[in-house]
Amino acid sequence: MTLDDLNVRFARPDVLQFEPGEGGLIRAVIRHPAATGEMYLHGGHVSAWQPRGQRPVLWMSQRSQFEPGKPIRGGVPLCFPWFGAKPDDPTAPSHGLARLVAWEVDSATADDRGVTLQMSTRVAPHYHVTHAVTFAAELSMTLTVENRGEASTRFEAAQHSYFAVGDIHRALVTGLEQAPFLDQLAGRQRIPATGEPITFSSETDRIYLHDGPAVIEDGAWGRAIRVEKAHSRATVVWNPWIAKAARMPDFGDDEWPGMLCVETANVGERAVTVAPGERWWMRTGVSVATR
Ligand code: BG6
């Protein structure tokens, strides 16, 4: 569908338009009294959400690429149908195929609360994947996977949310104190629960075996970002710190102190199995409070 077609079919006066975004990729732009936001058709990717009266909540790298076949760095990449390296094919792209391809817009609605957009794509080719996102005082993102094949399938999935923080050294994450984690920096070694909030003083890359909410306490900006979730049994917490940031071509060398990923996921031992003809979904809800 062309930009004009999208605007004719789905734009909503004053609150939702489709525009050429970075790299010429088409994005939906939401300008609602409750919140502003952006969602790219590339990857069904939410790249911005800012509730009224707050700073931007999602972090985007200034060095992100915006190209077909490449992932967008920041916002909410969707990892599917695998997370990280593909176990049986190390040459396959990191975090799966869903974030690399163009999605279609299925529907758009608007009301006094906010704007809801749904996009979908086919992956691999038996998966039909949709991402339904409500941009309002709360950000709500529901990823649905339908298995249209003839056999049962097993996959991993993540809403890989990048959050903006004032200073990672003064940020902490609560809610995961009682959860053991797999340390990605030590071959996914299982580490027992620490009983403490998470603080950051070096590269951190952990898969928490955890199905509840988490809160980012941002001391520098005096706000708390609450990340709620449903049907997700793992939470990934990631900051690349200095050396890894420097190695990533689409991540500015000095950007790492301003971001933190808290990802709604089902990965590793918590991958999902879906029977033919069945659907599975997972949801992330984000809200912000001033401290
Ligand atoms: C995180 C992983 O979720 O994503 C990290 O835990 C990884 O290991 C990071 O480095 C970024 O991945 P990518 O493929 O977007 O560079």
Side-chain angles (χ1 to χ4, degrees):
M1 232 185 253
T2 65
L3 196 53
D4 284 348
D5 293 339
L6 286 165
N7 277 312
V8 168
R9 265 194 77 184
F10 298 113
R12 291 287 171 273
D14 302 329
V15 296
L16 171 64
Q17 272 78 44
F18 293 84
E19 301 177 357
E22 303 284 344
L25 299 177
I26 296 176
R27 67 183 171 202
V29 179
I30 293 97
R31 300 181 186 91
H32 188 279
T36 58
E38 288 175 2
M39 186 171 178
Y40 277 82
L41 276 70
H42 182 66
H45 188 119
V46 176
S47 57
W49 170 64
Q50 184 171 8
R52 188 159 57 124
Q54 287 289 341
R55 298 169 191 267
V57 178
L58 300 179
W59 177 89
M60 273 295 307
S61 172
Q62 298 301 311
R63 300 283 304 276
S64 177
Q65 307 174 86
F66 289 89
E67 272 180 54
K70 301 263 173 71
I72 294 171
R73 176 70 69 196
V76 188
L78 297 173
C79 306
F80 178 85
W82 63 86
F83 178 88
K86 188 165 189 260
D88 57 357
D89 181 2
T91 64
S94 169
H95 290 328
L97 307 169
R99 65 178 182 162
L100 305 178
V101 297
W103 292 42
E104 291 175 1
V105 180
D106 297 332
S107 63
T109 57
D111 61 20
D112 291 350
R113 281 184 49 240
V115 173
T116 299
L117 266 168
Q118 181 177 300
M119 298 188 188
S120 65
T121 192
R122 282 195 154 229
V123 175
H126 47 284
Y127 293 118
H128 184 253
V129 185
T130 65
H131 203 208
V133 181
T134 299
F135 297 84
E138 180 182 323
L139 177 69
S140 172
M141 303 179 284
T142 303
L143 180 71
T144 303
V145 177
E146 185 182 338
N147 177 4
R148 293 189 177 171
E150 282 167 10
S152 196
T153 55
R154 189 164 169 82
F155 56 82
E156 298 177 307
Q159 290 165 313
H160 188 311
S161 308
Y162 286 78
F163 294 104
V165 294
D167 179 1
I168 189 70
H169 302 92
R170 294 178 58 197
L172 55 86
V173 178
T174 63
L176 301 156
E177 292 82 348
Q178 306 309 327
F181 65 87
L182 310 179
D183 190 349
Q184 297 251 77
L185 304 177
R188 294 200 175 175
Q189 185 188 349
R190 190 182 175 111
I191 310 290
T194 64
E196 302 285 336
I198 306 165
T199 54
F200 300 88
S201 54
S202 60
E203 182 180 355
T204 302
D205 191 349
R206 300 174 179 177
I207 300 169
Y208 282 86
L209 304 174
H210 167 260
D211 59 9
V215 177
I216 300 170
E217 297 285 351
D218 181 344
W221 282 349
R223 75 175 178 184
I225 301 172
R226 183 176 173 84
V227 186
E228 309 241 11
K229 57 189 202 156
H231 295 179
S232 154
R233 298 171 60 232
T235 302
V236 180
V237 176
W238 179 60
N239 180 289
W241 222 253
I242 301 165
K244 185 159 186 177
R247 286 199 301 274
M248 289 188 288
D250 60 345
F251 195 116
D253 291 358
D254 302 325
E255 291 183 319
W256 58 271
M259 57 71 67
L260 172 60
C261 289
V262 174
E263 308 166 32
T264 295
N266 283 293
V267 306
E269 64 190 73
R270 302 215 158 165
V272 176
T273 302
V274 177
E278 296 286 307
R279 270 185 198 180
W280 165 90
W281 61 273
M282 120 181 140
R283 175 183 178 271
T284 302
V286 186
S287 55
V288 186
T290 303
R291 290 288 196 235

